[in-house]
Structure formats: structure tokens, C-alpha cells
């Protein structure tokens, strides 16, 4: 007969337990929220059993399994996408005794045990039992071990190698530099139901998406202790308020999962299921996400399925063999990041990664995943010289296993969470990244438009006197702008490693630098595609980003920086309130060139179109410091054209050149039967609408 189990609210059990078992050297610490609420009578019954003095052998491992035969078959096939419900550590009650069930995949181990404070880190006292089905899963139930207990797996391989490993499915870890796992849970009483019901409207491809990218540890530090991190809860009021005030629709966090090396920015992950303890508990992170949702702001997580570090306690050579990574370094070692590449051809590894993606969406109510370094996954020769890589079975450079994995990942995500977005950081011309898998695509919702970013920054760095010779750097993007669902990124990668801040990429004196930056932002926000801006860019941070320090918020005491902040806020409002800016962002019917050949004056004019012609906007850009007076261009329809945005406005620290409402004339221009004449301010972008 199967043993009866019940998941218990450990916090309530703790209240009932009055003493520890006297025959045990160190009793497990029981703290935090439990997994599931149960009746008080059940709590008292379990607590009474915990109060009794038990002989030491009753604290040894008892056999128990959360896996069914169907679970095992799915795991082996790489199709079990909720492994976090089975693997790892789970507090439950077995035959009336509270304890923790442990399970870990280590198919090439000859011995696996759980060590921790509860047994004095004795590798021989609590061995797990290997399943009989050759799945390679080791498991067992240890009584009287509860939430808060620190532990690791001791693994002895057939080669005689001995390792102490953190739990790949741990829900919490010790704060670095410590490396042990912590028995924990993800129970949280969410209060974001209103957001969850309507988030499909916020995440739709025909809605505005303006993303604020954040590195949590350096957005702000404690004012009294600049070297001290603020917690998720402490940061929530200020961060949520700032993002809402600026008008961003979403926030994107650089990786928040556990990582040992802080300067890796979170991209070298060892605990894929554990929110980093640097900033608090998983529940603290959930609180932060909930606060964003209460303010109608979506939350996107950076996700890193491309590589992992070789730290001794991590995934590398987990059971003494290359379990998660390729054994051959030509496929399994990343030369750029000195890290290890997942073996996408191993079914169990695919299931681990996809389960992790669904875990973040499920337990943390995440609204999207930005997938890091997709290009490095797609190509076997990425950053490798001739002879340093192995072609695929057809002799090509494409990583067919990774391509198949990415398709499975996107299909699984959208099957379980159809109202979220997956976004690929992919820098090559690989086709169909954001196309459905049933048409041969990878299935992502969006793709970063790296070509736009590179061409645009290259152009804006140039002295305005030379820009007429590089006009095509700005016009070329529309040749391919609608081949994918593109997101325009000005991300953290553009303001590190000696690249300087965005404001210091701009040429000219102080006024021209700020005018150029305002024009860059205006061009970005009015260009087809969704938007992403890294923190600090919204007020023209002057220093290059450094993860060791807070942003320079004191700059907002100065008018030029205040102007940039007001400008970005105004652009976000324009983007959210004008349908022409977002309804057809990913189709050519939403964009039309009017003037794209005036290189001599460095002027661009284009229309943005929504579903209703009355919503048409015309965008005019002057990329030189010379005002262009009475500049004529064609308009999409007759009417009185009003200036609804002007980056040269004095409130943005501009020169204040404006246009009064202008009636169109029946004067043909630029293949249009009607046209208007306007004054274009220096180094500025102006948006007109017929009212």
C-alpha cells in the first residue's frame, strides 16, 4: 500500500513544536512559508509526532518517490516540462512525520548522499537510493528536515571521483561566496490577479512594448552604505515608482538566478531555479514582481540556456562525467566566456532547461523571457577558428540540436503560457527567428534588431558635417525591418567595456551632445518595432556603467539631464497613446518613406500608420545643427497638421523652435498630392498629426 503524504505549512508546524528531539545532535531549522495550507488539526498531529523523542535511526533516509512511470518516460524523452515539481527538495509529511524528499539526476554515480547541518555534513549517514528503472535518479525522504536547512549532494562517481554539489533544482541558495543549497519553497499568496487576467492585452504584438532594462544590484544602493545591496522588497517602492513615472510598459531584469561571480552580471548561473540570495528570498522577488503588476507593468527575465560556469559546486561534471555539457570541448566549451555549453542533444538536459523556463513563468508570474546569446547556440563555429569546431551531420555549421531545442522551448512556453513573450538576442541573419515553428521558424515572439542598433550608433557617433556621406546607415534598416518581429535595443552591452555611455558617444559640445541624444531617442521610438533602453540612459548617465556602483542619480539636479528624463517620458506617452506607433509595428503597411534621399541636408521624413488613416503620423528628423526653414514634404492626407512632439522643446533643454498648426496645400511633393512646409529645428525630431 502506498504511503500517505501531505504537504504541510511548515510555519504553522513550527508554532506547535515546543522542543527538539533530544537524541539528535542538530535538529533541522524550520522556517518561512510552507508549501500548502492545511487544517489546524493536521498541523497539531504532525507537530505532536515531531515533539516525541525518537531514536537516531528514525532520522535516516526512508524510501519515497514523487515520480510515476509516466514521469520517467517523459523525462527520458525530453518532454517533461515541470520537473521542478519532482526534482530537488520538497518538504512534506510521510506517515505523519514532517521531513524533506530529495531527488537528483546522477546516472553515472555509484553513491549519492545528502549532507548538511542536520547530520554534521556526514557523507555516509544519509545515502539516497537509486531508482530501479535505469533513469539515473537518486531519491529518498529524510524525516525532521525542513525549510531553511542547508544541504549539498555528496556524489561518488564510478571513476572514484568525489564531489559536493549544489542541488540543480534548489529553490534557494546560500549567499555567495557560500555555495550550499537551502530547502525552501515557492509558496506565495499572489495579489496580481487583475494583471494576469488582462496581460494578454499588454503583451500582444499590436500593443506598445517599451522595456526598461535593469541590473538590479547597481540600479541603486543604500544611501548610507554605497557598497550594500538593497533587497527586492526595499527597492520595490522606488524602482516601481520610477518605471511607472517614466511610462515604460515593461521592465527587463538581467539574470536574477543564483550566480557565484557578481561581475558576470548574472550570466554565469549555477542555480537555475533559485533567485539569487544577494537580494532576498524567492518570496521577496515575487513581492517585487507583484508590485510591478499592480501598476500595470510587465516583468521580463533574462534567461541563459546557452552556457554555464565550471564552478565545482555547479552543473559541470555533475556526476563525474559530462552530464549537462558536451565532453568534446569543440562542442562543449565556450571560448568567449570560458564556460560550458549545454548538450542540447541529451533529452534529459532539454527537459531540465525547458522546465526551468516554465518554472520562471509559472512560479514567478514572469511575463516574458529574453533568451541570451541565441547566436552562440545556433552555430557550431561561433567564435571558433577553423579546426576548432565539429560540423553537423550534413557538414554544415548550424547546430541542429540547439535549433530543435529552441523550437521545443518556444512551443512549450506558448502552449502553457500563450499570453507571454519570448525574445531572442540573436545577432546574425539566421532566418525565421520570430516566425512560427509550423512555418519552419524558431518560434520566438520577438528578436533583437542588432543591425539597427549597430548602424544607428555608428551614424550618431559621426560629426554632423560628415553624416551626409553615411545617410544609408539610417535608411537601410527598413529594407529588412519587417522580416522579423524586431525589438530595438540600446542595452547594457552598449555602455560597458570601454564603449562609454550613450551621451558620450554623441559628437559636439554639451548642447549638441544632448540634442543628438534626444534625436537618437526620438528616432528609436518612432521607428517600427518595440523598444528597450538600459537603465541610466533615461537621464543621460555620463559615466560608463559599472556593476559595482549605483547609477548617478545626482545628475538629475541638472537641467540637461532633467530634459532627457522628460523627453523619454514624453516619448513613452506618445508611443502608448498614438495607435500608429504600435498597431502595425511588424508589417510594412505601418511605415512609409516620404523623404529618404535628402542626404545633402541629412533630413528624413516618414509616416507611421495605424489601422485608421486618421491616426497617421509624420516624423521629420534633422540630423545637423543647421535649422531647415520652410522645408516642404508630402503628407499622407489633406488636413491641418499639428506638431504633437518636438525634441527641441525648451522643457527638454532644446532651443525652442516650434511650428504652429499648418494646413496642407494641394501642391504635389514626394509622390503625394498634398504637402506642407515646416521649420525643422537643429538636431531634432518633430512629429506631426492631422487634426
Amino acid at each position: 500500500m502506498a504511503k500517505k503524504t501531505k504537504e504541510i505549512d511548515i510555519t504553522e508546524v513550527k508554532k506547535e513544536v515546543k522542543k527538539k528531539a533530544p537524541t539528535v545532535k542538530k535538529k533541522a531549522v524550520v522556517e518561512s512559508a510552507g508549501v500548502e495550507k492545511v487544517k489546524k488539526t493536521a498541523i497539531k498531529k504532525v507537530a505532536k509526532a515531531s515533539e516525541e523523542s525518537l531514536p537516531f535511526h528514525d532520522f535516516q533516509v526512508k524510501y519515497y518517490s514523487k515520480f510515476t512511470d509516466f514521469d520517467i518516460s517523459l523525462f527520458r524523452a525530453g518532454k517533461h516540462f515541470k520537473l521542478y515539481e519532482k526534482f530537488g527538495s520538497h518538504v512534506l509529511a510521510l506517515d505523519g512525520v514532517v521531513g524533506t524528499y530529495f531527488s537528483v539526476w546522477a546516472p553515472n554515480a555509484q553513491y549519492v548522499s545528502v549532507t548538511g547541518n542536520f547530520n554534521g555534513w556526514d557523507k555516509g549517514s544519509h545515502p539516497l537510493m537509486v531508482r530501479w528503472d535505469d533513469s539515473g535518479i537518486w531519491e529518498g525522504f529524510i524525516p525532521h528536515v525542513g525549510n531553511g536547512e542547508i544541504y549539498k549532494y555528496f556524489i561518488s562517481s564510478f571513476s572514484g571521483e568525489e564531489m559536493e554539489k549544489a542541488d540543480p533544482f534548489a529553490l534557494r541558495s546560500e549567499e555567495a561566496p557560500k555555495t550550499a543549497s537551502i530547502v525552501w519553497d515557492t509558496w506565495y499568496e499572489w495579489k496580481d490577479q487583475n494583471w494576469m487576467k488582462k496581460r494578454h492585452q499588454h503583451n500582444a504584438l499590436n500593443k506598445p512594448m517599451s522595456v526598461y532594462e535593469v541590473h538590479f544590484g547597481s540600479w541603486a544602493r543604500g544611501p548610507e552604505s554605497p557598497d550594500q545591496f538593497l533587497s527586492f522588497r526595499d527597492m520595490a517602492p522606488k524602482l516601481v515608482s520610477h518605471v511607472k513615472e517614466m511610462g515604460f510598459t515593461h521592465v527587463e531584469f538581467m539574470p536574477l538566478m543564483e550566480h557565484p561571480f557578481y561581475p558576470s552580471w548574472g550570466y554565469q548561473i549555477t542555480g537555475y531555479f533559485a533567485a539569487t540570495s544577494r537580494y532576498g528570498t524567492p518570496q521577496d522577488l515575487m513581492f517585487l514582481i507583484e508590485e510591478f503588476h499592480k501598476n500595470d507593468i510587465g516583468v521580463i527575465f533574462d534567461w541563459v540556456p546557452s552556457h554555464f560556469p565550471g564552478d565545482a559546486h555547479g552543473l559541470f561534471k555533475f556526476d563525474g562525467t559530462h552530464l549537462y555539457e558536451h565532453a568534446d570541448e569543440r562542442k562543449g566549451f565556450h571560448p568567449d566566456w570560458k564556460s560550458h555549453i549545454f548538450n542540447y542533444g541529451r533529452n534529459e538536459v532539454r527537459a531540465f532547461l525547458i522546465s526551468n523556463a516554465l518554472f520562471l513563468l509559472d512560479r514567478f508570474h514572469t511575463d516574458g523571457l529574453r533568451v541570451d546569446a541565441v547566436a552562440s547556440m545556433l552555430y557550431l563555429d561561433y567564435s571558433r577558428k577553423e579546426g576548432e569546431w565539429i560540423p553537423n551531420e550534413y557538414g554544415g555549421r548550424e547546430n541542429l540540436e540547439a535549433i530543435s531545442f529552441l523550437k521545443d522551448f518556444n512551443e512549450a512556453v506558448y502552449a502553457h503560457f500563450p499570453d507571454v513573450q519570448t525574445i531572442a538576442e540573436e545577432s546574425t541573419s539566421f532566418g525565421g527567428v520570430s516566425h512560427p515553428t509550423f512555418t519552419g521558424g524558431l518560434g520566438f515572439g520577438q528578436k533583437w534588431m542588432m543591425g539597427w542598433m549597430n548602424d544607428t550608433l555608428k551614424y550618431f557617433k559621426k560629426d554632423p558635417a560628415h553624416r551626409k556621406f553615411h545617410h544609408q546607415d539610417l535608411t537601410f534598416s527598413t529594407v529588412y525591418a519587417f522580416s522579423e518581429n524586431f525589438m530595438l535595443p540600446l542595452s547594457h552591452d552598449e555602455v560597458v567595456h570601454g564603449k562609454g555611455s550613450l551621451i558620450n558617444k554623441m559628437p559636439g559640445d554639451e548642447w549638441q551632445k544632448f540634442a543628438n541624444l534626444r534625436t537618437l531617442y526620438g528616432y528609436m521610438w518612432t521607428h517600427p518595432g518595440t523598444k528597450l533602453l538600459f537603465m541610466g540612459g533615461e537621464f543621460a548617465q555620463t559615466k560608463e556603467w559599472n556593476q559595482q556602483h549605483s547609477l548617478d542619480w545626482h545628475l538629475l539636479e541638472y537641467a540637461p539631464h532633467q530634459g532627457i528624463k522628460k523627453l523619454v517620458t514624453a516619448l513613452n506617452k506618445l508611443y502608448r497613446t498614438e495607435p500608429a506607433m504600435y498597431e502595425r509595428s511588424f508589417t510594412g503597411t505601418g511605415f512609409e518613406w516620404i523623404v529618404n534621399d535628402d542626404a545633402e541636408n541629412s533630413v528624413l521624413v516618414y509616416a507611421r500608420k495605424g489601422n485608421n488613416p486618421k491616426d497617421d503620423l509624420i516624423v521629420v528628423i534633422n540630423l545637423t545643427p543647421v535649422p531647415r526653414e520652410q522645408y516642404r514634404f508630402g503628407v499622407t492626407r489633406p488636413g491641418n497638421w499639428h506638431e504633437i512632439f518636438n525634441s527641441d522643446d525648451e522643457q527638454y533643454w532644446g532651443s525652442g523652435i516650434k511650428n504652429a498648426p499648418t494646413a496642407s496645400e494641394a501642391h504635389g511633393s514626394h509622390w503625394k498630392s498634398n504637402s506642407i512646409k515646416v521649420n525643422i529645428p537643429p538636431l531634432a525630431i518633430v512629429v506631426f498629426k492631422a487634426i
Side-chain angles (χ1 to χ4, degrees), residues 22-230:
T23 54
V24 180
K25 291 182 179 179
K26 185 166 185 179
K27 187 73 171 60
V29 178
V30 182
E31 58 183 45
S32 185
V35 181
E36 180 183 330
K37 291 186 175 180
V38 295
K39 294 180 179 179
K40 283 285 185 181
T41 53
I43 293 170
K44 290 179 179 179
K45 183 177 179 181
V46 173
K48 186 175 185 299
S50 301
E51 291 172 4
E52 298 173 358
S53 177
L54 301 173
F56 185 76
H57 68 267
D58 281 345
F59 288 82
Q60 301 306 300
V61 182
K62 298 179 182 296
Y63 183 72
Y64 173 73
S65 180
K66 290 176 72 72
F67 288 91
T68 66
D69 291 343
F70 186 52
D71 288 326
I72 297 300
S73 65
L74 287 176
F75 177 52
R76 285 175 152 173
K79 297 297 182 182
H80 199 311
F81 300 148
K82 291 195 175 181
L83 292 175
Y84 51 93
E85 296 178 348
K86 308 292 179 176
F87 278 114
S89 58
H90 299 267
V91 176
L92 48 84
L94 179 63
D95 293 336
V97 178
V98 174
T100 298
Y101 164 76
F102 294 91
S103 61
V104 63
W105 181 52
N108 301 298
Q110 66 171 342
Y111 176 84
V112 178
S113 67
V114 182
T115 64
N117 287 337
F118 69 95
N119 63 9
W121 299 92
D122 182 354
K123 62 186 180 183
S125 64
H126 289 81
L128 297 179
M129 287 152 272
V130 65
R131 289 182 63 90
W132 61 91
D133 52 16
D134 295 326
S135 63
I137 298 172
W138 298 73
E139 57 189 347
F141 173 82
I142 303 179
H144 311 290
V145 170
N147 272 8
E149 186 59 64
I150 298 171
Y151 72 100
K152 279 188 176 181
Y153 293 120
F154 172 80
I155 300 175
S156 176
S157 70
F158 283 104
S159 65
E161 188 176 358
E162 295 183 346
M163 296 144 289
E164 290 185 342
K165 292 289 188 178
D167 189 342
F169 284 87
L171 300 176
R172 191 179 176 192
S173 300
E174 287 187 296
E175 186 173 344
K178 296 180 179 179
T179 58
S181 300
I182 302 176
V183 178
W184 208 254
D185 58 70
T186 55
W187 187 87
Y188 187 76
E189 192 171 349
W190 287 93
K191 301 179 184 66
D192 64 347
Q193 290 80 5
N194 289 337
W195 166 268
M196 297 299 285
K197 287 177 183 177
K198 63 182 181 181
R199 76 171 176 184
H200 65 281
Q201 301 172 8
H202 296 276
N203 281 343
L205 291 175
N206 62 350
K207 296 293 183 179
M209 179 176 282
S210 178
V211 183
Y212 183 62
E213 186 187 23
V214 174
H215 177 262
F216 190 87
S218 60
W219 188 79
R221 298 285 181 90
E224 294 81 17
S225 304
D227 295 329
Q228 182 179 345
F229 295 127
L230 294 176

Side-chain angles (χ1 to χ4, degrees), residues 331 344-345 350 377-380 391-407 430:
K331 294 182 71 176
Y344 306 109
R350 294 163 73 102
M377 300 171 65
L378 294 176
Y379 296 103
L380 296 164
N392 62 35
E393 60 186 297
Y394 303 108
R397 57 194 285 258
E398 295 80 12
N399 188 333
L400 302 180
E401 294 169 346
I403 291 170
S404 171
F405 160 75
L406 289 170
K407 291 181 178 182
F430 190 94

Side-chain angles (χ1 to χ4, degrees), residues 664-677:
S664 63
E665 302 173 300
H667 185 292
S669 180
H670 301 98
W671 306 99
K672 302 291 182 185
S673 57
N674 289 270
S675 63
I676 60 175
K677 291 193 293 185

Side-chain angles (χ1 to χ4, degrees), residues 340-532:
H340 303 276
I341 300 170
F342 283 103
N343 183 349
Y344 306 109
R346 179 167 282 164
N347 286 340
E348 295 88 345
V349 173
R350 294 163 73 102
F352 168 81
L353 288 171
I354 296 176
S355 290
N356 180 240
L358 266 60
F359 168 81
L360 299 176
L361 297 166
D362 176 15
R363 298 294 173 87
F364 286 96
H365 286 200
T366 314
D367 304 296
L369 298 173
R370 176 265 192 187
V371 183
D372 182 63
V374 172
S376 73
M377 300 171 65
L378 294 176
Y379 296 103
L380 296 164
D381 63 344
Y382 186 89
S383 285
R384 298 178 189 274
K385 300 176 183 177
E386 187 175 351
E388 295 178 347
W389 58 282
I390 304 173
N392 62 35
E393 60 186 297
Y394 303 108
R397 57 194 285 258
E398 295 80 12
N399 188 333
L400 302 180
E401 294 169 346
I403 291 170
S404 171
F405 160 75
L406 289 170
K407 291 181 178 182
D408 282 356
F409 152 73
N410 279 306
E411 288 176 354
V413 166
Y414 284 111
H416 289 83
F417 302 95
D419 54 353
V420 303
Q421 283 287 337
T422 61
I423 305 163
E425 187 221 4
E426 205 285 306
S427 56
T428 74
S429 58
F430 190 94
V433 171
S434 60
H435 294 189
T437 57
F438 61 79
T439 65
L442 294 182
F444 283 93
Q446 296 179 46
K447 171 184 173 176
W448 273 21
M449 197 174 188
M450 306 296 281
W452 171 89
M453 179 273 298
N454 286 316
D455 288 346
T456 299
L457 290 182
K458 182 173 66 173
Y459 179 91
F460 271 87
K461 289 178 184 178
K462 298 184 184 303
D463 187 297
H466 301 146
R467 287 176 176 173
K468 62 184 178 181
F469 303 113
H470 304 276
H471 200 64
Q472 70 280 2
D473 286 349
L474 290 192
T475 60
F476 179 68
S477 63
T478 55
V479 172
Y480 62 94
F482 309 108
S483 61
E484 302 275 4
N485 299 333
F486 279 120
M487 172 177 280
L488 313 182
L490 290 176
S491 73
H492 65 276
D493 280 328
E494 311 320 315
V495 293
V496 291
H497 302 321
K499 296 177 183 177
S501 62
L502 288 178
I503 187 66
N504 283 328
K505 295 181 194 296
M506 303 296 110
D509 58 20
E510 183 183 41
W511 189 92
Q512 289 194 25
K513 283 180 178 292
F514 279 89
N516 269 300
L517 187 62
R518 294 193 299 269
T519 307
L520 167 62
Y521 287 165
Y523 170 61
M524 174 180 176
W525 256 262
T526 58
H527 190 287
T530 56
K531 330 296 173 186
L532 179 138

Side-chain angles (χ1 to χ4, degrees), residues 34-35 58 84 112 142 193 232 261 264 339 471 533 567 575 594 626 657 660-661:
V35 181
D58 281 345
Y84 51 93
V112 178
I142 303 179
Q193 290 80 5
F232 292 124
F261 185 53
S264 76
S339 55
H471 200 64
L533 181 66
L567 176 110
Y575 180 39
I594 296 175
V626 180
I657 297 177

Side-chain angles (χ1 to χ4, degrees), residues 581-615:
M581 296 277 278
Y582 59 80
E583 285 183 340
R584 298 182 179 183
S585 265
F586 305 118
T587 171
T589 61
F591 179 89
E592 181 185 359
W593 277 117
I594 296 175
V595 180
N596 67 351
D597 57 354
D598 190 0
E600 186 62 32
N601 290 307
S602 295
V603 168
L604 296 173
V605 183
Y606 49 86
R608 293 300 311 276
K609 299 180 177 182
N611 296 330
N612 190 332
K614 292 182 179 180
D615 294 327

Side-chain angles (χ1 to χ4, degrees), residues 270-292:
T270 51
Y272 273 78
F273 292 82
T276 176
S277 293
R278 290 174 176 86
Y279 316 127
T281 68
Q283 285 75 15
D284 293 334
L285 176 54
M286 293 172 191
F287 172 82
L288 174 64
I289 294 169
E290 181 179 82
E291 290 302 300
F292 275 114

